[in-house]
Amino acid sequence: MLELDHVDAYYGQIHALKSLSLSVGKGEIVTLIGSNGAGKSTTLRAVSGLLKPRHGAIKLEGDDLTRYRPHQIVAKGVVQVPEGRRIFGRLTVTENLEMGAFGCNDQKKNQENLGRVLKLFPRLDERRKQLAGTLSGGEQQMLAIGRAMMANPRVLLLDEPSMGLAPVLVDSIFETIGRLHSEGTTILLVEQNARMALQIAGRGYVIQTGVVVLSDSAENLQKDEMVRKVYMGET
């Protein structure tokens, strides 16, 4: 469904992605594993159109996304939940969710999506009139995911959804990701918690300094000695 073909991307003179290729099949959860600065978030930024590759193609079912601007990519169904959540702190929970549907003029569809999000996150339903900036970290992450779901994504890009959350909230967020997957959402997941990511994903790619150095099923990656030592902290 989503394919990156020999993508090169730069920040100024810094070569951030080096002929990077990967794919995500329809209905899959695929995870990107790597240390800070490896190029994981850069990969998502390239898919979202926030960083234009110099070379290579990024295709959604054969349609090259590099030809489009970010809002057009969202309209095609590729939606990102950014690292650090990036919610609108001075808007209410409801207003934040409505912002996720800014590109859709079908009010009936928007209301259906809102109902789905509030069913998925009952905590948000309880806090619909509350300013988003006063929510807990876990609630803000729920809101960021809910806002993305308002755009009716075909492919959901999740960037570090567990960052800064207590372990019990991490479990809750990953349960939600599992539910979204079971409903048919295709997910490309960037996550520092490699153990959790590989437990929920079907396949994974290991990225080092902008290069894919290993790709395999999640099951095999969990058994890989390098992955266990470097990314799971095992000795």
Side-chain angles (χ1 to χ4, degrees), residues 55-137:
H55 305 103
I58 301 174
K59 297 181 179 180
L60 178 68
E61 296 185 324
D63 189 7
D64 192 349
L65 298 179
T66 62
R67 300 182 297 142
Y68 302 109
R69 298 177 65 185
H71 71 279
Q72 295 172 316
I73 293 173
V74 170
K76 289 183 175 294
V78 180
V79 184
Q80 182 171 345
V81 179
E83 179 182 346
R85 300 179 275 276
R86 306 280 183 93
I87 50 94
F88 300 101
R90 296 186 179 182
L91 299 183
T92 66
V93 167
T94 298
E95 289 167 339
N96 268 269
L97 294 175
E98 289 172 344
M99 288 295 290
F102 79 96
C104 180
N105 293 321
D106 186 339
Q107 294 304 313
K108 182 179 178 180
K109 184 65 175 178
N110 290 343
Q111 286 301 311
E112 289 175 356
N113 285 337
L114 179 61
R116 178 189 176 198
V117 168
L118 296 178
K119 184 177 180 180
L120 187 65
F121 298 112
R123 190 80 61 84
L124 297 183
D125 196 12
E126 296 169 4
R127 289 159 170 72
R128 292 177 63 171
K129 296 182 180 180
Q130 189 170 328
L131 292 181
T134 65
L135 298 176
S136 69

XYZ file of all heavy atoms in Angstrom, residues 55-137:
656
model
N 15.837 12.516 -4.105
C 15.778 11.404 -5.058
C 14.847 10.340 -4.494
O 14.578 10.296 -3.304
C 17.171 10.793 -5.282
C 18.208 11.775 -5.702
N 19.162 12.270 -4.841
C 18.437 12.367 -6.899
C 19.944 13.120 -5.472
N 19.526 13.202 -6.720
N 14.368 9.497 -5.415
C 13.523 8.387 -4.996
C 12.046 8.709 -5.068
O 11.644 9.846 -5.349
N 11.244 7.702 -4.815
C 9.787 7.828 -4.889
C 9.147 7.313 -3.609
O 9.674 6.420 -2.955
C 9.248 7.053 -6.088
N 8.015 7.935 -3.266
C 7.188 7.484 -2.142
C 5.783 7.298 -2.703
O 5.136 8.271 -3.086
C 7.184 8.508 -0.999
C 8.611 8.749 -0.496
C 6.279 8.032 0.141
C 8.714 9.859 0.526
N 5.330 6.057 -2.760
C 4.095 5.762 -3.477
C 3.016 5.202 -2.555
O 3.281 4.346 -1.720
C 4.372 4.774 -4.612
C 5.306 5.314 -5.682
C 5.529 4.304 -6.795
C 6.448 4.871 -7.871
N 6.669 3.883 -8.960
N 1.818 5.726 -2.732
C 0.626 5.195 -2.095
C -0.190 4.503 -3.165
O -0.751 5.155 -4.048
C -0.188 6.322 -1.449
C -1.496 5.893 -0.774
C -1.225 5.060 0.471
C -2.352 7.112 -0.421
N -0.193 3.177 -3.119
C -0.878 2.373 -4.142
C -0.500 2.857 -5.548
O -1.359 3.029 -6.417
C -2.384 2.385 -3.919
C -2.788 1.719 -2.608
C -4.292 1.619 -2.416
O -4.997 2.545 -2.841
O -4.738 0.618 -1.827
N 0.791 3.100 -5.756
C 1.313 3.470 -7.067
C 1.333 4.956 -7.370
O 1.965 5.387 -8.344
N 0.670 5.755 -6.558
C 0.615 7.204 -6.769
C 1.782 7.861 -6.026
O 1.894 7.740 -4.807
C -0.713 7.743 -6.246
C -0.949 9.206 -6.612
O -0.150 9.775 -7.373
O -1.949 9.774 -6.111
N 2.659 8.553 -6.755
C 3.862 9.135 -6.153
C 3.502 10.355 -5.316
O 3.130 11.408 -5.844
C 4.864 9.515 -7.245
C 6.243 9.848 -6.673
O 6.365 9.988 -5.444
O 7.190 9.973 -7.466
N 3.642 10.217 -4.009
C 3.263 11.290 -3.089
C 4.214 12.477 -3.131
O 3.861 13.565 -2.643
C 3.191 10.753 -1.656
C 2.157 9.656 -1.386
C 2.229 9.215 0.073
C 0.744 10.117 -1.737
N 5.411 12.300 -3.658
C 6.368 13.413 -3.676
C 5.897 14.554 -4.572
O 6.457 15.646 -4.523
C 7.765 12.944 -4.126
O 7.694 12.431 -5.460
C 8.296 11.861 -3.189
N 4.870 14.315 -5.377
C 4.324 15.367 -6.250
C 3.361 16.285 -5.512
O 2.950 17.320 -6.046
C 3.575 14.738 -7.436
C 4.421 13.840 -8.324
C 3.622 13.310 -9.493
N 2.512 12.464 -9.054
C 1.314 12.454 -9.641
N 1.039 13.265 -10.645
N 0.367 11.634 -9.205
N 2.994 15.907 -4.276
C 1.924 16.621 -3.589
C 2.427 17.390 -2.369
O 3.468 17.088 -1.804
C 0.843 15.633 -3.149
C 0.248 14.837 -4.274
C 0.532 13.477 -4.410
C -0.591 15.431 -5.204
C -0.011 12.732 -5.442
C -1.140 14.693 -6.246
C -0.843 13.339 -6.370
O -1.369 12.607 -7.396
N 1.632 18.380 -1.978
C 1.905 19.129 -0.751
C 1.306 18.375 0.443
O 0.452 17.502 0.269
C 1.317 20.532 -0.870
C 1.928 21.344 -2.016
C 1.278 22.695 -2.165
N 1.525 23.541 -0.999
C 0.978 24.751 -0.849
N 0.149 25.237 -1.760
N 1.248 25.463 0.230
N 1.756 18.711 1.664
C 1.308 17.948 2.832
C -0.207 17.820 2.975
O -0.707 16.729 3.278
C 1.927 18.721 4.003
C 3.184 19.298 3.434
C 2.832 19.674 2.024
N -0.958 18.917 2.781
C -2.407 18.829 2.963
C -3.050 17.934 1.900
O -4.084 17.305 2.152
C -3.036 20.230 2.953
C -3.040 20.906 1.628
N -1.943 21.571 1.121
C -4.012 21.023 0.680
C -2.238 22.077 -0.068
N -3.486 21.748 -0.354
N -2.426 17.862 0.721
C -2.947 16.976 -0.320
C -2.675 15.515 0.024
O -3.488 14.637 -0.276
C -2.309 17.335 -1.667
C -2.694 18.721 -2.171
C -1.898 19.136 -3.396
O -0.676 18.946 -3.460
N -2.578 19.694 -4.386
N -1.555 15.263 0.677
C -1.216 13.907 1.106
C -2.194 13.446 2.190
O -2.646 12.293 2.195
C 0.243 13.852 1.582
C 1.183 14.089 0.386
C 0.559 12.519 2.256
C 2.645 14.232 0.753
N -2.548 14.350 3.106
C -3.559 14.030 4.117
C -4.882 13.689 3.436
O -5.560 12.724 3.805
C -3.740 15.202 5.101
C -4.950 14.964 6.000
C -2.494 15.390 5.949
N -5.253 14.472 2.439
C -6.513 14.235 1.725
C -6.523 12.878 1.032
O -7.586 12.290 0.825
C -6.756 15.352 0.710
N -5.346 12.374 0.688
C -5.249 11.065 0.055
C -5.275 9.927 1.079
O -5.274 8.757 0.701
C -3.988 10.987 -0.814
C -4.098 11.847 -2.073
C -2.887 11.722 -2.952
C -3.105 12.489 -4.247
N -4.195 11.882 -5.073
N -5.241 10.291 2.363
C -5.430 9.280 3.395
C -4.192 8.904 4.184
O -4.207 7.922 4.920
N -3.104 9.680 4.045
C -1.887 9.428 4.827
C -1.804 10.498 5.908
O -1.610 11.677 5.605
C -0.629 9.452 3.943
C 0.623 9.182 4.784
C -0.745 8.420 2.827
N -1.957 10.093 7.170
C -2.099 11.038 8.272
C -1.087 10.708 9.361
O -0.947 9.551 9.754
C -3.528 11.007 8.850
C -3.692 12.066 9.929
C -4.562 11.200 7.747
N -0.403 11.727 9.854
C 0.646 11.524 10.860
C 0.227 12.016 12.238
O -0.374 13.085 12.375
C 1.926 12.248 10.433
C 3.092 12.047 11.394
C 4.406 12.575 10.852
O 4.530 12.853 9.662
N 5.391 12.717 11.706
N 0.563 11.218 13.260
C 0.492 11.655 14.654
C 1.923 12.025 15.039
O 2.772 11.151 15.165
C -0.035 10.541 15.572
C -0.074 11.029 17.022
C -1.424 10.103 15.128
N 2.213 13.321 15.210
C 3.606 13.733 15.363
C 4.202 13.388 16.719
O 3.482 13.202 17.706
C 3.544 15.257 15.179
C 2.167 15.622 15.613
C 1.286 14.463 15.209
N 5.516 13.304 16.742
C 6.231 13.139 18.001
C 5.941 14.339 18.908
O 5.893 15.477 18.460
C 7.734 13.062 17.728
C 8.590 12.904 18.960
C 10.073 12.884 18.649
O 10.424 12.728 17.460
O 10.875 13.031 19.575
N 5.722 14.072 20.194
C 5.439 15.165 21.120
C 3.995 15.624 21.084
O 3.635 16.639 21.692
N 3.152 14.922 20.326
C 1.693 15.110 20.305
C 1.234 16.349 19.546
O 0.326 16.294 18.748
C 1.120 15.087 21.735
C 1.416 13.757 22.419
C 0.899 13.684 23.805
N 1.792 14.240 24.807
C 2.790 13.580 25.374
N 3.072 12.354 24.989
N 3.530 14.132 26.307
N 1.812 17.524 19.847
C 1.496 18.765 19.105
C 0.003 19.098 19.074
O -0.540 19.515 18.047
C 2.021 18.667 17.656
C 3.503 18.334 17.525
C 4.400 19.528 17.729
N 5.792 19.173 17.521
C 6.431 19.293 16.355
N 5.790 19.761 15.306
N 7.689 18.958 16.257
N -0.667 18.889 20.189
C -2.080 19.278 20.249
C -2.180 20.811 20.405
O -1.188 21.477 20.724
C -2.814 18.547 21.402
C -2.043 18.681 22.731
C -2.966 17.079 21.085
C -2.466 19.788 23.582
N -3.366 21.342 20.170
C -3.601 22.784 20.317
C -4.062 23.037 21.747
O -5.228 22.837 22.088
C -4.642 23.259 19.308
C -4.241 23.015 17.880
C -4.770 21.946 17.172
C -3.331 23.850 17.245
C -4.409 21.703 15.858
C -2.946 23.621 15.928
C -3.487 22.544 15.229
N -3.129 23.476 22.590
C -3.379 23.552 24.027
C -4.467 24.526 24.433
O -5.120 24.325 25.466
N -4.686 25.589 23.646
C -5.681 26.603 24.019
C -7.053 26.330 23.425
O -7.980 27.125 23.613
C -5.189 27.986 23.597
C -3.921 28.413 24.328
C -3.546 29.827 23.985
N -2.346 30.263 24.707
C -1.817 31.476 24.634
N -2.393 32.389 23.854
N -0.734 31.771 25.313
N -7.171 25.214 22.695
C -8.477 24.798 22.175
C -9.010 23.660 23.037
O -8.245 22.951 23.699
C -8.356 24.332 20.722
C -7.848 25.357 19.699
C -7.859 24.738 18.297
C -8.675 26.631 19.723
N -10.313 23.475 23.019
C -10.910 22.382 23.772
C -10.624 21.047 23.079
O -10.155 21.000 21.928
C -12.433 22.555 23.891
O -13.013 22.432 22.582
C -12.790 23.892 24.515
N -10.929 19.975 23.786
C -10.792 18.641 23.206
C -11.615 18.529 21.929
O -11.122 18.065 20.892
C -11.225 17.576 24.229
C -11.403 16.208 23.561
C -10.202 17.479 25.358
N -12.867 18.967 21.975
C -13.731 18.903 20.795
C -13.157 19.713 19.645
O -13.146 19.259 18.490
C -15.148 19.398 21.129
O -15.721 18.539 22.116
C -16.032 19.402 19.888
N -12.646 20.905 19.925
C -12.089 21.753 18.868
C -10.845 21.131 18.248
O -10.634 21.219 17.035
C -11.785 23.142 19.424
C -13.035 23.952 19.728
C -12.757 25.190 20.568
O -11.707 25.236 21.259
O -13.603 26.103 20.546
N -10.029 20.485 19.068
C -8.867 19.778 18.539
C -9.288 18.668 17.585
O -8.704 18.500 16.505
C -8.033 19.184 19.678
C -6.940 20.096 20.167
O -5.797 20.060 19.681
N -7.268 20.953 21.124
N -10.303 17.915 17.983
C -10.780 16.841 17.123
C -11.364 17.390 15.824
O -11.135 16.828 14.740
C -11.818 15.999 17.868
C -11.280 15.211 19.066
C -12.424 14.521 19.806
C -10.241 14.185 18.635
N -12.068 18.484 15.926
C -12.633 19.098 14.723
C -11.541 19.564 13.767
O -11.709 19.541 12.541
C -13.545 20.267 15.107
C -14.844 19.807 15.774
C -15.658 20.971 16.333
O -15.100 22.072 16.475
O -16.859 20.750 16.637
N -10.406 20.000 14.323
C -9.290 20.407 13.475
C -8.781 19.246 12.625
O -8.282 19.436 11.508
C -8.144 20.957 14.325
C -8.419 22.320 14.931
S -8.578 23.617 13.675
C -6.881 23.735 13.116
N -8.904 18.033 13.152
C -8.476 16.869 12.384
C -9.306 16.630 11.144
O -8.868 15.943 10.222
N -10.516 17.190 11.121
C -11.430 16.996 9.988
C -11.512 18.231 9.101
O -12.460 18.366 8.329
C -12.819 16.635 10.502
N -10.505 19.105 9.195
C -10.596 20.390 8.478
C -10.726 20.215 6.972
O -11.291 21.070 6.285
C -9.362 21.257 8.780
C -8.142 20.874 7.994
C -7.824 21.548 6.814
C -7.319 19.848 8.409
C -6.707 21.195 6.076
C -6.196 19.487 7.675
C -5.888 20.156 6.506
N -10.235 19.098 6.427
C -10.265 18.918 4.977
C -11.523 18.256 4.462
O -11.655 18.045 3.252
N -12.450 17.928 5.347
C -13.669 17.223 4.928
C -14.897 18.096 5.185
O -15.138 18.520 6.310
C -13.792 15.897 5.681
S -15.263 14.954 5.242
N -15.660 18.328 4.154
C -16.870 19.144 4.269
C -18.128 18.306 4.473
O -19.233 18.856 4.519
C -17.034 20.017 3.015
C -15.943 21.072 2.906
O -15.537 21.661 3.908
N -15.453 21.284 1.693
N -17.965 17.000 4.575
C -19.103 16.104 4.779
C -19.385 16.040 6.286
O -18.746 15.285 7.022
C -18.764 14.716 4.229
C -19.947 13.754 4.281
O -20.879 13.988 5.076
O -19.930 12.747 3.546
N -20.321 16.846 6.755
C -20.596 16.941 8.180
C -21.111 15.632 8.770
O -20.797 15.301 9.927
C -21.606 18.073 8.437
C -21.066 19.457 8.109
C -19.773 19.757 8.859
O -19.676 19.528 10.069
N -18.775 20.266 8.153
N -21.876 14.886 7.993
C -22.362 13.598 8.476
C -21.194 12.663 8.738
O -21.132 11.990 9.777
C -23.322 12.979 7.456
C -23.907 11.650 7.921
C -24.872 11.071 6.887
C -25.410 9.725 7.367
N -26.353 9.126 6.370
N -20.242 12.628 7.804
C -19.059 11.786 7.960
C -18.230 12.243 9.154
O -17.719 11.417 9.924
C -18.217 11.832 6.686
C -17.005 10.900 6.714
C -17.431 9.451 6.757
C -16.251 8.516 6.670
N -16.649 7.097 6.762
N -18.087 13.554 9.307
C -17.318 14.092 10.431
C -17.941 13.703 11.772
O -17.228 13.371 12.723
C -17.214 15.615 10.323
C -16.322 16.058 9.173
O -15.543 15.271 8.652
N -16.443 17.309 8.775
N -19.261 13.733 11.846
C -19.934 13.352 13.084
C -19.778 11.853 13.361
O -19.622 11.438 14.513
C -21.420 13.731 13.022
C -21.679 15.221 13.163
C -21.153 15.774 14.485
O -21.404 15.232 15.560
N -20.401 16.861 14.408
N -19.817 11.059 12.301
C -19.594 9.623 12.461
C -18.192 9.353 12.985
O -17.997 8.525 13.892
C -19.801 8.905 11.118
C -21.250 8.844 10.667
C -21.396 8.238 9.283
O -20.351 7.938 8.649
O -22.539 8.057 8.830
N -17.212 10.070 12.426
C -15.826 9.889 12.869
C -15.645 10.363 14.308
O -14.913 9.746 15.090
C -14.868 10.646 11.940
C -14.689 9.950 10.602
O -14.911 8.743 10.482
N -14.294 10.688 9.597
N -16.319 11.465 14.656
C -16.235 11.960 16.020
C -16.798 10.934 16.995
O -16.202 10.668 18.053
C -16.996 13.289 16.149
C -17.004 13.923 17.542
C -15.589 14.243 18.000
C -17.874 15.189 17.552
N -17.923 10.345 16.663
C -18.508 9.319 17.514
C -17.588 8.123 17.666
O -17.453 7.562 18.762
N -16.922 7.753 16.583
C -15.986 6.624 16.622
C -14.808 6.928 17.546
O -14.406 6.096 18.353
C -15.486 6.330 15.207
C -14.458 5.210 15.125
C -13.845 5.121 13.749
N -12.800 4.111 13.685
C -11.889 4.051 12.743
N -11.882 4.960 11.770
N -10.960 3.102 12.740
N -14.269 8.148 17.437
C -13.122 8.540 18.260
C -13.502 8.571 19.734
O -12.765 8.078 20.602
C -12.565 9.910 17.812
C -11.573 10.461 18.829
C -11.907 9.790 16.447
N -14.658 9.138 20.045
C -15.078 9.230 21.445
C -15.414 7.864 22.031
O -15.259 7.646 23.236
C -16.267 10.179 21.567
C -15.968 11.645 21.191
C -17.233 12.490 21.296
C -14.859 12.220 22.059
N -15.844 6.944 21.185
C -16.067 5.569 21.642
C -14.733 4.883 21.901
O -14.593 4.107 22.848
C -16.873 4.797 20.594
C -17.233 3.386 21.022
C -18.091 2.693 19.965
C -18.449 1.275 20.398
N -19.284 0.593 19.363
N -13.751 5.191 21.045
C -12.417 4.618 21.196
C -11.722 5.149 22.437
O -11.003 4.421 23.130
C -11.588 4.946 19.946
C -10.204 4.314 19.812
C -10.315 2.799 19.679
C -9.479 4.901 18.601
N -11.979 6.444 22.735
C -11.346 7.099 23.883
C -12.417 7.709 24.793
O -12.695 8.914 24.717
C -10.399 8.207 23.416
C -9.247 7.738 22.582
C -9.167 8.074 21.243
C -8.234 6.967 23.143
C -8.096 7.663 20.476
C -7.157 6.554 22.376
C -7.085 6.888 21.038
N -13.052 6.914 25.648
C -14.098 7.449 26.535
C -13.594 8.595 27.414
O -14.379 9.478 27.775
C -14.481 6.227 27.386
C -14.086 5.044 26.574
C -12.874 5.460 25.822
N -12.302 8.588 27.736
C -11.743 9.668 28.555
C -11.896 11.018 27.853
O -12.163 12.035 28.496
C -10.263 9.374 28.810
C -9.602 10.286 29.853
C -9.921 9.827 31.247
N -9.429 8.480 31.502
C -8.187 8.197 31.885
N -7.310 9.162 32.060
N -7.847 6.948 32.129
N -11.733 11.034 26.550
C -11.893 12.279 25.794
C -13.352 12.722 25.779
O -13.644 13.924 25.811
C -11.388 12.106 24.358
C -9.902 11.790 24.183
C -9.565 11.720 22.693
C -9.021 12.820 24.882
N -14.257 11.760 25.735
C -15.681 12.089 25.764
C -16.031 12.804 27.065
O -16.820 13.751 27.082
C -16.501 10.806 25.618
C -17.951 11.081 25.249
O -18.264 12.238 24.881
O -18.765 10.147 25.329
N -15.400 12.371 28.162
C -15.643 12.991 29.463
C -15.078 14.409 29.535
O -15.524 15.209 30.362
C -15.003 12.149 30.561
C -15.591 10.755 30.704
C -14.745 9.870 31.617
O -13.755 10.392 32.188
O -15.068 8.676 31.754
N -14.103 14.726 28.682
C -13.387 16.005 28.765
C -13.557 16.860 27.508
O -12.699 17.668 27.183
C -11.896 15.731 29.017
C -11.614 15.210 30.416
C -10.279 14.485 30.511
N -9.905 14.202 31.886
C -10.474 13.293 32.646
N -11.478 12.572 32.164
N -10.066 13.078 33.885
N -14.669 16.700 26.829
C -14.862 17.357 25.541
C -14.733 18.880 25.620
O -14.250 19.516 24.692
C -16.220 16.981 24.952
C -16.305 15.526 24.557
C -17.675 15.130 24.036
N -18.021 15.844 22.807
C -19.083 15.554 22.067
N -19.901 14.586 22.441
N -19.344 16.227 20.971
N -15.157 19.478 26.738
C -15.121 20.941 26.855
C -13.854 21.449 27.551
O -13.668 22.653 27.708
C -16.352 21.425 27.617
C -17.666 21.136 26.880
C -18.866 21.673 27.654
C -20.172 21.391 26.923
N -21.357 21.912 27.674
N -13.000 20.534 27.927
C -11.778 20.909 28.659
C -10.698 21.386 27.697
O -10.572 20.870 26.575
C -11.268 19.693 29.444
C -10.129 19.990 30.406
C -9.852 18.799 31.306
O -10.767 18.039 31.647
N -8.603 18.619 31.697
N -9.914 22.396 28.122
C -8.804 22.853 27.301
C -7.769 21.740 27.182
O -7.376 21.122 28.170
C -8.159 24.105 27.897
C -9.009 25.379 27.891
C -8.224 26.533 28.491
C -9.469 25.722 26.475
N -7.305 21.502 25.958
C -6.411 20.376 25.708
C -5.102 20.495 26.484
O -4.509 19.491 26.871
C -6.133 20.251 24.218
N -4.654 21.726 26.704
C -3.402 21.937 27.409
C -3.434 21.513 28.860
O -2.387 21.378 29.499
N -4.637 21.306 29.417
C -4.766 20.897 30.821
C -4.892 19.379 30.979
O -5.016 18.897 32.100
C -5.980 21.575 31.467
O -7.186 21.097 30.830
C -5.910 23.085 31.329
N -4.867 18.653 29.874
C -4.963 17.200 29.936
C -3.632 16.598 30.394
O -2.571 17.209 30.248
C -5.308 16.625 28.554
C -6.638 17.033 27.923
C -6.745 16.445 26.529
C -7.817 16.599 28.783
N -3.692 15.377 30.898
C -2.473 14.649 31.235
C -1.759 14.236 29.946
O -2.330 14.296 28.845
C -2.818 13.399 32.046
O -3.485 12.446 31.228
N -0.517 13.784 30.095
C 0.241 13.361 28.920
C -0.430 12.237 28.162
O -0.489 12.247 26.923
